[in-house]
Amino acid sequence: MPQTRSFDPYTENGGTILAIAGQDFSVIAGDTRQSEGYSIQTRYAPKVFRLTDRAVLAVNGFAADGNMFVKKVKQRLEWYRHAHAKDMPLRAIARLIQTMLYAKRFFPYYVYNILGGIEEDGTGAVYSFDPVGSYEREACRAAGAAQSLVQPFLDNQIYFKNQVPAPGTTHPAYLSLPDVLSIVIDSFTSATERHIEVGDGLEIYIVFAKTRDLQDFETIRAKNVHLIQELTVAEDGERIFVLRRDLKKD
Amino acid sequence: MDHFPTNWGRPRNDAFDAYGTYPIQQRPNNIKDNFNGVQRTQQPIVTGTSVLAIKYKDGIMMAADNLASYGSLARFKDVQRLHAVGNHTVLGASGDMSDFQYIQSLLDDLIIEEFTEQDEHTLGPAEIHEYLSQLMYGRRSKLNPLWNSLLVGGYKDGKRFLAYVDLLGTTYSASTIATGYGSYIAQPLLRKAVEGREDTLTEREAQAILEESLLVLFYRDARSLDKYQIAKVTESGVSISESMALRTSWSFAEGIRGYGAQTQ
Amino acid sequence: MFRNTYDSDNTVFSPQGRLHQVEYALEAVKQGSAAVGLRSKTHAILLALKRSTGELASYQQKMYRIDDHVGIAIAGLTSDARVLSNFMRQQAMAERMIYNRPIPANRLVSSIADKAQVNTQEYGRRPYGVGFLVIGLDKTGPHLYEFSPSGNSYEYFATSIGARSQSAKTYLEKHYEGFADCSLEELITHGLHALRETLQQDKELSIKNTSIGILGPAGAHETGVPAQGSFRILEDEKIDVYLQSMVPKELEAPPITAPPPTAGDVDIQMTDN
């Protein structure tokens, strides 16, 4: 007779993440609510993590798997540092994540990963993964509870789907940082309005390429000094910041 | 091909394969179960109900009643569900009590090992919580969970710590946490009473908040008891109270249909 | 060829109660170029002299980062050092995985000392041919330890291992009482002075042959150091400023005349405790 197990090793902890790549920057964001069923477990459980000065990983799905996965990725990156005395490049981290996810193909990490950061050629990049490791590089991606709310919005705002440029003009190839930040914040305030598992707090990580002029960012930073924190470790390299905001808590 | 006839299984099993549709090599073999001699926890047996904990001015405070139930039977009425781990940490458990007592023995061993190092490094609540998270997640990943929801509270190096971990390895930290039934009934009460007042609540106020929540739980949770203990962890260490009794009042029940004498 | 009987097997005592193979291992440490370690109230530092096999070869790495809060300098067989440092890294990572805390440095040193001890007692093994200076930073402050192939480990205010390390120790013994209140720069200068004592007659410290490992808050000449003062290894141009700070040897107060270390009969023995 087939045996049934009553123990289900998975749960779903809600929340949403998204990332958008600019020409020479990358923005990775996630809300901070953790829930199970209709209960909010905590209003502050980070889902977005700095891996290196040029790589940020957002994880969404089953929180216990997510935290363990991030911990293991970080330890693999530490071994890479021991062996090579430098940080792993973004595209290599992406491939590492795919092999680590696929290694558990038949007892998967129930998490959707989005990796954002700066490539070795200085371009902003976003990689998105499914739980068993399929991945691709994209310009933007939303995942998690409110993916179905946010992704169509991004398709419209980032890829200009269903928009017709004014006669004689074209859509811009890349969006500016202020535009991207506005889109991220609007995505989360909207998702908070319409999805019960999204809310409480928002963490937006911003990674800048080495060569980027930070003038536009510094104006934003000056207006939000208490909200923005720099996480860069090494000098003369990519720079990484986190912007923390409140979302509605109801 | 397996040449041992004893492993071929019975050629006909009317309940399973009444018309002998399986070719011989695909017939179910004679293994009695899928456990290979190993049993895994599929459900909790003797269980404890909610644990409540909050942060307050001087540290953290945790409460749990003294009941261990066997299904709906109130089986053991003098069980301690709060456990001191070293000098800075208290652990509270709901769920399977035998799994909890196993965890206690693991932690006691750990604390002894740490003590025998005789250096200035001791395990604080954060380290204990991380250890338990790895333990619980490791066991769930072997599909052999320790069937508990645990609260870890503590105070070390001037910092309060309060966090949760359960049988799936799910973790989180907050200024008020309640497990089990308490997460539905007590948690809203605790949040209302504590959030934003973590640094001003006195010990008396904190205790009153927990006792009020235990009382509500006792009225509504059929697996709870009116006998409970409260643990606090502060600068000066861990203390777990003797068992105390809730002061219940049933007079209000008079007016409620289904409780008091019915007029019609 | 054999200098001693009772030395073909490390598990057999000589009639004098010595383990000759273990003592030879300690000799291997002395073949390695010197490393110096010292600490103040705020910092622990390592300095090491790198060797190269010739003009065409690079300099051998003498320092390894174990974790943010632990670094080592080695003297002896580099390949043995890689085995042990790898083990230390694994231990440090396991501590972070299980307890999410930096591993206490004293326990890390004990764990490799225990490994080394096994090699002095089990048949068919050989002792490690490498010695370590280990610096660690934890909430009880900066620490400096020595690990040796005999399975011993000690904590020090300042010490040195490797070739002609006795000369460096002589310098350190003369000055160590002032180290506690030193700034990082002063501490490094002391370290360089001590390391200089281990040089051969016609050699001097240069940006090519010197490594400096630091634990503790950023010094006046440093930038980009994380607030917690993570372990970093300075080499090449970055150490020029410190080399410049050295007082030329002629101007220095005449060093205490220590008996020059003679290669053969330095007293090597395993301590009883």
Side-chain angles (χ1 to χ4, degrees), chain B residues 65 207-208 210-219 224-230 243-250:
Chain B
D65 69 26
Q207 183 158 347
L210 286 178
E211 282 169 348
E212 172 66 16
S213 302
L214 285 170
L215 188 68
V216 175
L217 276 170
F218 180 60
Y219 285 139
S224 68
L225 195 65
D226 55 356
K227 236 178 87 193
Y228 67 99
Q229 283 169 292
I230 284 191
S243 286
M244 299 178 281
L246 286 171
R247 293 160 55 86
T248 50
S249 151
W250 298 97

Side-chain angles (χ1 to χ4, degrees), chain B residues 176-191:
Chain B
T176 72
I177 309 182
T179 69
Y181 213 78
S183 69
Y184 304 113
I185 290 198
Q187 180 73 314
L189 302 171
L190 297 177
R191 282 185 182 156

Side-chain angles (χ1 to χ4, degrees), chain C residues 85-164:
Chain C
S85 60
N86 214 299
F87 177 77
M88 293 172 85
R89 287 168 172 178
Q90 280 174 24
Q91 295 285 302
M93 300 264 253
E95 193 80 5
R96 289 201 185 267
M97 184 55 90
I98 299 169
Y99 299 111
N100 195 24
R101 70 169 173 184
I103 189 168
N106 60 310
R107 297 187 192 176
L108 191 56
V109 175
S110 299
S111 75
I112 53 167
D114 290 351
K115 261 174 91 75
Q117 194 280 335
V118 171
N119 290 350
T120 69
Q121 199 178 11
E122 282 188 6
Y123 180 78
R125 292 181 173 273
R126 70 158 172 84
Y128 290 107
V130 70
F132 286 177
L133 292 182
V134 182
I135 55 172
L137 190 63
D138 59 35
K139 55 180 163 247
T140 64
H143 298 280
L144 167 67
Y145 304 92
E146 181 196 346
F147 154 80
S148 81
S150 59
N152 283 314
S153 63
Y154 298 107
E155 182 163 10
Y156 288 96
F157 294 111
T159 193
S160 174
I161 57 170
R164 285 178 292 280

Side-chain angles (χ1 to χ4, degrees), chain B residues 96-204:
Chain B
D96 192 280
M97 286 295 103
S98 63
D99 283 350
F100 172 53
Q101 285 165 9
Y102 166 69
I103 290 168
Q104 285 179 50
S105 73
L106 287 183
L107 290 174
D108 288 347
D109 290 352
L110 196 68
I111 292 299
I112 290 169
E113 275 195 22
E114 190 79 1
F115 176 78
T116 53
E117 290 279 350
Q118 287 295 312
D119 52 21
E120 278 145 271
H121 303 281
T122 52
L123 294 170
E127 288 80 27
I128 300 288
H129 178 257
E130 188 68 32
Y131 173 84
L132 286 171
S133 307
Q134 298 295 123
L135 175 71
M136 300 297 271
Y137 182 80
R139 287 290 293 261
R140 89 96 215 187
S141 298
K142 289 186 207 157
L143 299 181
N144 187 19
L146 294 166
W147 214 287
N148 300 104
S149 293
L150 304 170
L151 293 192
V152 179
Y155 190 95
K156 189 167 182 250
D157 302 330
K159 279 204 202 98
R160 291 174 299 203
F161 180 92
L162 178 56
Y164 167 100
V165 57
D166 66 14
L167 73 168
L168 292 174
T170 305
T171 55
Y172 58 89
S173 132
S175 54
T176 72
I177 309 182
T179 69
Y181 213 78
S183 69
Y184 304 113
I185 290 198
Q187 180 73 314
L189 302 171
L190 297 177
R191 282 185 182 156
K192 194 170 179 187
V194 174
E195 277 185 358
R197 301 210 291 141
E198 293 89 346
D199 299 324
T200 52
L201 280 177
T202 64
E203 188 180 315
R204 286 170 69 95

